[in-house]
Amino acid sequence: MTKPVNHHKNRTGRDRKLLCHVIIWAIIALFASPAWADKPPAPKKKPPVINVQVSPNARLTIYKSVILLPALTDGTIIDRPLTTALFRALDDLHKYHILQPENVEPWLKKQLQSDEELSMAELAHRAGIDLRASAIITAEAHPRQKIGELLVRLDSTPVTAWNIVMWDTRNRQPVWKLAVSHQDVGPEPEKAQETTAILQQAMSTLKKEMVARGDIFSTRLPRPEVLSTQGDIRSVRIVLQPDPPHIFSRYQLLRAEDPKAVFRPTGPPVANKTPLILADHGLRDAASYYYTVIGINNDGQANVPAPPFAITTTGAPSPVRSLHAAGGGLRHIRLFWEPSQDPTVKEYVIYRSPDPDGPFKKIAIVSGRDQQTYVDKGQPSGYSRYGELADNSRYYYIIRTRNIVGVTSEDSQIVSAITKGVPQPPTNLQAIDRQPKKIPLTWAASHDPDVVGYAIFRAKTPKGPFRQIEYVSGRENQQYVDDGSWEHPLQNDTTYWYRLRAVNVVEAQSPDSGTVSAITKAAPQAVIGVGAVDGLFRKIRLSWQPNPEPDIDHYEIYRGTIADDIRTKIATIGPKETTYTDTGLADSRTYWYRIRAVDRDGLTGAWSTAVHATTKHPPVQPKGLKAIVGPNGILLSWKKNPEPDIDHYEISSGGFLSGRLGDSQKPQFFYPHSVKPGSKFKFLVRAVDQDGLKSPYSEPLVIMRPE
């Protein structure tokens, strides 16, 4: 007696979960009846529990030979009614060509009689090898006996579970699994009909899951008939013979670039209608593609793809045979060619590169097959009169034709041309020396008609750096006077170096001209021999030596009260004058002076050395005032002042209004007045020189006669 197949080893946690669901449903049904304690209710049929699993790899394999092993109950008993119902349900699936199970029943019996214990996966693999099938379908029925006893006590309803699995012979893995759990509630004659209905429902669920997983190919469906194929410009056209709508509701075109590559859909499916034309667009020119067509029914199943067929698209239009380029233009190059004779050509695509080996960049599209010229200005708009290409540069060009569907031809031959260079530098540049704070420049006008001006550069050393100081507009202009700027005027007696560049209409500059230099006029020398006479009454007399420059216009005299702040201009003296008297000054005050020469061009010389002088001092205070009192008056005397130009002395009593007593040219004075007892006299003396300068009063002398 052979050992039964050990199907319990392959039972998964899913089966246990399914069993728990059955138990819970049974208990709920039992206790939900309000009269369960009085009288058991009649058993009610509940829908089967169907669990489907489809392998993600199922869609990658087409199983041409599939065998259904007879179904087993408890792993040892062949269940022919279940086998027959399952075969019919699988046949209605319309997916596999299945060998009748009775043809393999002898092989299965032989395996069951063997002492070797095989799992269901091992049994299926051995069947696939021995019977030469690509896939094996196994089925097991498991009446729930122990749990069934419990259920009988509860609702008297037995439960049966079917495990149906399709195994891949090659890798021994399940292609799909179908677990069905249901109640046996009908009489025995009705079980066959009930089994068929449950299996059809299970297969319907399986089919939906297969389609959802992409496992759509059926070996039972016919292949669509291709009537004709045609390659067009970047597209292909395929005409099919429509099948009856109950076979296929739509068709899908699949494409690959190699017959052994993966074929992918070219677009959404096309409905089954007349005429039935499939098209594929966006292809390469003159390229071969491989296609196959599948039909899809209302359930989402498709036929096994037929061997692919090749279609080749049409090629590109003929290229331009004669392209020419004309150089010498200012930042532009003119192209011209012989128009294409291809009637499908609608435009020309022009490419440019600075190198003959590329890469070439598209620069323009010229619409119209009859067009034959284009001016490359280096910009898409072309609004510039002259262009934006580089000066004196060679550019390389190719041109392609493009047909009405956008297919371009091969490249034309490569042509090249050179743009016009920058202007020639100005010639005969000259600079004029010894000009006051300026340097005039002259040059020869350019003969280039595109020149519109000249850029002028200046430097303080012959090696630079040279900086642009001005732009002179106009090709015919030939001179410019450099006088610096308000912030930075040219310096006196300073050498400057100059260069010029010609500038054309696109602001391209020529190379530098030759370098010239010139020196500005020197300012007058500092005034020398400046002297100042002091001691004069409210004035100071100045003198100096005349400057050696022949074009001195005047001298400027400045005064200050301290040596480092001589900023007040007091006089402008003609070029022939060498003296000046500063008048209206304060007495006994020191003043500082400096002088500078200014020539006829307004150049100001350096300052002279500062000199100073002091105005005349007032007489000093008289000293030694004394008095001799006589019977007829008082004789005053004092020391003679040291100044040689004392004119007289003023004698005063110190009163505010009538204090003056008299004058004396000598250092003495008689004051006639009787001196009575109790008299008091006060006397003061001051010196007055010939210019009227008065000294301070002497110390007062007070005379008192006691009573």
Side-chain angles (χ1 to χ4, degrees):
M1 184 72 179
T2 60
K3 296 182 180 180
V5 177
N6 190 5
H7 60 278
H8 297 289
K9 294 182 181 180
N10 296 330
R11 187 168 300 162
T12 63
R14 186 182 66 257
D15 299 325
R16 298 187 186 96
K17 185 183 295 184
L18 181 61
L19 183 58
C20 291
H21 285 311
V22 174
I23 296 173
I24 292 171
W25 289 343
I27 295 174
I28 292 174
L30 179 63
F31 285 94
S33 174
W36 66 276
D38 298 330
K39 183 179 180 180
K44 296 182 180 180
K45 180 184 294 186
K46 294 186 178 181
V49 179
I50 301 172
N51 191 304
V52 176
Q53 291 185 1
V54 177
S55 170
N57 297 324
R59 61 186 180 87
L60 303 178
T61 305
I62 296 174
Y63 299 96
K64 296 182 178 180
S65 58
V66 179
I67 292 178
L68 171 63
L69 291 181
L72 299 176
T73 299
D74 291 332
T76 58
I77 303 172
I78 295 178
D79 190 337
R80 290 187 177 84
L82 176 60
T83 302
T84 302
L86 180 58
F87 179 81
R88 292 174 181 173
L90 287 169
D91 188 62
D92 291 341
L93 190 64
H94 294 293
K95 184 170 179 65
Y96 309 111
H97 288 286
I98 302 176
L99 184 64
Q100 292 283 352
E102 55 266 23
N103 296 333
V104 297
E105 184 173 329
W107 180 91
L108 179 59
K109 289 181 177 180
K110 182 178 179 181
Q111 300 300 320
L112 295 176
Q113 294 171 1
S114 171
D115 292 336
E116 186 178 4
E117 292 188 4
L118 297 175
S119 67
M120 192 59 69
E122 294 170 337
L123 181 65
H125 178 68
R126 179 170 295 181
I129 297 300
D130 293 347
L131 303 176
R132 298 182 180 181
S134 57
I136 301 295
I137 298 176
T138 63
E140 298 178 274
H142 301 287
R144 309 296 187 181
Q145 295 177 357
K146 293 182 180 180
I147 298 176
E149 293 173 1
L150 173 63
L151 295 178
V152 167
R153 290 196 298 270
L154 295 178
D155 61 1
S156 302
T157 303
V159 177
T160 300
W162 297 331
N163 289 333
I164 306 170
V165 183
M166 177 171 169
W167 304 88
D168 190 320
T169 302
R170 181 188 55 181
N171 57 23
R172 306 187 186 188
Q173 297 298 316
V175 179
W176 49 260
K177 293 181 179 181
L178 190 60
V180 182
S181 179
H182 64 93
Q183 296 177 343
D184 294 332
V185 298
E188 191 67 27
E190 298 179 1
K191 283 189 177 181
Q193 182 179 358
E194 179 185 12
T195 298
T196 300
I198 293 174
L199 287 174
Q200 287 177 345
Q201 184 179 353
M203 290 302 160
S204 177
T205 304
L206 175 61
K207 180 186 293 186
K208 292 179 181 179
E209 183 66 17
M210 286 179 171
V211 173
R213 291 282 185 172
D215 185 13
I216 65 172
F217 294 116
S218 169
T219 59
R220 300 276 297 278
L221 293 175
R223 293 173 177 172
E225 181 181 357
V226 177
L227 297 180
S228 65
T229 63
Q230 180 179 343
D232 293 325
I233 299 177
R234 291 190 177 177
S235 64
V236 298
R237 185 171 181 268
I238 300 168
V239 180
L240 299 181
Q241 173 63 49
D243 290 280
H246 69 275
I247 296 179
F248 293 128
S249 60
R250 59 196 187 277
Y251 296 89
Q252 176 72 63
L253 181 63
L254 304 175
R255 180 189 69 208
E257 296 190 14
D258 186 275
K260 296 181 180 180
V262 176
F263 281 76
R264 303 184 185 280
T266 61
V270 177
N272 186 354
K273 61 181 180 179
T274 304
L276 187 54
I277 300 175
L278 305 181
D280 186 17
H281 300 279
L283 306 178
R284 298 192 304 273
D285 301 320
S288 294
Y289 295 89
Y290 293 86
Y291 294 91
T292 187
V293 179
I294 60 173
I296 304 173
N297 62 20
N298 290 325
D299 294 331
Q301 291 181 316
N303 64 280
V304 176
F309 51 89
I311 306 177
T312 302
T313 58
T314 59
S318 57
V320 170
R321 299 301 179 187
S322 178
L323 175 64
H324 303 278
L330 187 57
R331 294 189 176 179
H332 68 270
I333 291 177
R334 183 177 298 275
L335 302 173
F336 52 97
W337 60 89
E338 182 179 345
S340 174
Q341 301 302 312
D342 187 340
T344 66
V345 169
K346 70 169 184 177
E347 59 195 12
Y348 301 89
V349 186
I350 301 173
Y351 299 80
R352 179 185 66 220
S353 172
D355 189 279
D357 296 327
F360 284 83
K361 181 180 179 181
K362 181 172 66 176
I363 61 170
I365 297 176
V366 180
S367 298
R369 181 169 62 89
D370 295 333
Q371 296 296 322
Q372 53 187 347
T373 62
Y374 176 74
V375 178
D376 179 21
K377 296 182 178 181
Q379 56 184 0
S381 63
Y383 294 135
S384 171
R385 177 182 177 185
Y386 296 98
E388 296 183 358
L389 297 180
D391 298 312
N392 194 32
S393 299
R394 182 177 291 277
Y395 292 92
Y396 298 84
Y397 297 88
I398 59 174
I399 189 171
R400 299 172 185 168
T401 58
R402 180 181 287 174
N403 64 17
I404 56 178
V405 292
V407 179
T408 56
S409 69
E410 296 178 354
D411 297 341
S412 67
Q413 79 275 19
I414 299 175
V415 298
S416 68
I418 301 175
T419 56
K420 184 178 180 179
V422 298
Q424 293 297 312
T427 59
N428 198 26
L429 176 61
Q430 297 181 11
I432 301 175
D433 275 325
R434 306 296 177 181
Q435 299 300 307
K437 292 186 179 296
K438 62 185 177 182
I439 295 179
L441 301 173
T442 62
W443 60 87
S446 174
H447 297 292
D448 188 341
D450 292 325
V451 169
V452 294
Y454 304 91
I456 301 174
F457 297 80
R458 181 182 66 207
K460 292 184 177 180
T461 65
K463 293 184 179 180
F466 283 82
R467 293 183 173 86
Q468 183 174 342
I469 60 170
E470 188 58 272
Y471 170 76
V472 178
S473 179
R475 180 174 66 88
E476 299 297 333
N477 280 332
Q478 298 177 258
Q479 59 185 6
Y480 172 72
V481 177
D482 178 23
D483 54 4
S485 64
W486 183 83
E487 299 90 346
H488 302 287
L490 297 187
Q491 301 299 310
N492 300 324
D493 196 25
T494 302
T495 301
Y496 295 92
W497 282 262
Y498 295 88
R499 292 175 180 172
L500 262 66
R501 295 177 186 172
V503 182
N504 65 14
V505 292
V506 293
E507 299 183 357
Q509 297 185 356
S510 72
D512 293 333
S513 68
T515 303
V516 298
S517 66
I519 188 170
T520 54
K521 181 183 178 182
Q525 298 178 11
V527 177
I528 62 174
V530 179
V533 178
D534 57 2
L536 301 178
F537 174 62
R538 295 180 181 175
K539 62 184 177 182
I540 293 175
R541 183 176 293 112
L542 300 172
S543 62
W544 60 88
Q545 294 181 12
N547 265 49
E549 293 85 7
D551 62 341
I552 296 298
D553 182 74
H554 61 270
Y555 297 96
E556 295 178 344
I557 302 173
Y558 285 75
R559 180 184 68 205
T561 57
I562 57 177
D564 57 354
D565 189 22
I566 308 174
R567 294 187 296 179
T568 303
K569 183 178 180 180
I570 61 172
T572 299
I573 305 300
K576 295 183 179 181
E577 301 293 332
T578 58
T579 62
Y580 174 75
T581 300
D582 185 18
T583 59
L585 305 179
D587 298 326
S588 190
R589 180 72 63 86
T590 299
Y591 294 92
W592 292 81
Y593 298 88
R594 58 182 182 176
I595 304 173
R596 64 183 180 183
V598 180
D599 65 15
R600 294 170 187 170
D601 294 313
L603 299 184
T604 302
W607 292 109
S608 68
T609 302
V611 297
H612 67 278
T614 305
T615 56
K616 183 180 181 182
H617 298 289
V620 300
Q621 182 185 45
K623 304 290 185 179
L625 177 62
K626 60 185 179 177
I628 299 175
V629 180
N632 298 321
I634 300 172
L635 178 63
L636 300 174
S637 63
W638 57 88
K639 292 181 180 180
K640 183 181 180 181
N641 266 46
E643 293 84 7
D645 61 340
I646 296 299
D647 182 73
H648 64 276
Y649 298 93
E650 293 180 354
I651 297 90
S652 174
S653 64
F656 179 70
L657 296 176
S658 60
R660 185 168 178 174
L661 301 177
D663 296 335
S664 175
Q665 293 182 343
K666 296 180 179 181
Q668 61 183 11
F669 177 76
F670 180 75
Y671 178 58
H673 196 285
S674 60
V675 181
K676 297 178 180 181
S679 301
K680 181 180 179 180
F681 298 91
K682 179 181 179 181
F683 299 99
L684 299 102
V685 178
R686 66 179 178 185
V688 181
D689 65 13
Q690 295 176 356
D691 293 315
L693 296 179
K694 299 177 180 181
S695 74
Y697 280 105
S698 66
E699 294 293 329
L701 175 64
V702 179
I703 299 174
M704 298 181 64
R705 185 172 182 181
E707 294 181 0

